[in-house]
Amino acid sequence: MAQDENASPKGGSPLVRWIIMGGFVVLVPTILALLVFQFILRPMLSGEAAPPPEPEISDAIPEGAVPLEFAESQGAVLPDSPDLTAPILMYRVAMVCDSQLTSDLITAQMVYFTAMLDKLHRNRTRSELSDPQVQATILKRAEQEANTLLKRLSPKEDHKVLEVMYTKYGLIDL
């Protein structure tokens, strides 16, 4: 008889198990539904639209930047074929300086910068100067050379050219 008492099932009555299972079946979906409503549906239905994220500008021009435009220049271009006449390149360049002091220094030493720009455009063929990639390379090189000249002219101060761009560019056949 001692064995019969040990063999009886433990864990309470089946009615308690049904009540616990029913509680889980009702409570778990109710809690999940409340969480979905609170964190997903309520913000969407509130009518308050979140402000759109502002795009980040990685190469923004600072507020103190000063543009400086050079005089129009022209130069002879090497023809692609010796039988053709040499076209003329007409261009105008502008530099964006980091401050008014940099702009004033470039204006005072304009001869150096004009000579540098002429040197970069000299001895190029028409096909080279017609290529947009070569034009971009010339501008990038002009920026580097301008910053090098600024370091040579004023080594103690930190002057910088931020960007060089064409304001006028054309090849004219004669």
Side-chain angles (χ1 to χ4, degrees):
M1 293 244 179
Q3 291 178 350
D4 289 337
E5 290 178 21
N6 290 339
S8 68
K10 293 183 181 178
S13 72
L15 181 61
V16 172
R17 274 188 266 160
W18 279 102
I19 292 174
I20 292 174
M21 288 299 283
F24 279 128
V25 168
V26 171
L27 282 177
V28 170
T30 304
I31 292 171
L32 288 175
L34 286 173
L35 289 174
V36 167
F37 176 76
Q38 182 68 23
F39 295 110
I40 296 174
L41 293 177
R42 180 180 261 172
M44 288 182 359
L45 297 175
S46 69
E48 296 177 15
E54 295 182 19
E56 291 186 28
I57 300 173
S58 61
D59 58 345
I61 296 175
E63 287 183 29
V66 178
L68 175 66
E69 190 168 20
F70 286 79
E72 185 174 306
S73 296
Q74 63 183 7
V77 177
L78 298 175
D80 290 328
S81 169
D83 299 335
L84 299 174
T85 59
I88 294 176
L89 171 67
M90 295 183 72
Y91 64 94
R92 180 180 290 160
V93 175
M95 292 184 180
V96 179
C97 306
D98 65 343
S99 67
Q100 185 64 43
L101 293 173
T102 305
S103 176
D104 294 342
L105 178 62
I106 292 173
T107 304
Q109 304 294 333
M110 187 68 76
V111 173
Y112 291 111
F113 292 92
T114 304
M116 177 264 303
L117 290 170
D118 288 342
K119 179 180 151 190
L120 290 174
H121 289 90
R122 197 177 315 133
N123 294 330
R124 297 198 182 255
T125 64
R126 178 180 176 76
S127 58
E128 278 182 315
L129 292 172
S130 296
D131 185 12
Q133 187 68 27
V134 172
Q135 293 173 18
T137 304
I138 291 172
L139 291 175
K140 189 68 176 166
R141 178 70 188 221
E143 180 182 334
Q144 293 169 349
E145 292 285 329
N147 285 326
T148 303
L149 273 172
L150 286 171
K151 291 245 187 266
R152 287 178 47 206
L153 293 171
S154 180
K156 295 179 182 177
E157 296 184 33
D158 188 30
H159 297 292
K160 189 171 184 183
V161 171
L162 302 174
E163 185 177 1
V164 178
M165 62 193 119
Y166 288 117
T167 57
K168 182 176 183 179
Y169 187 88
L171 291 165
I172 301 170
D173 290 318
L174 299 175

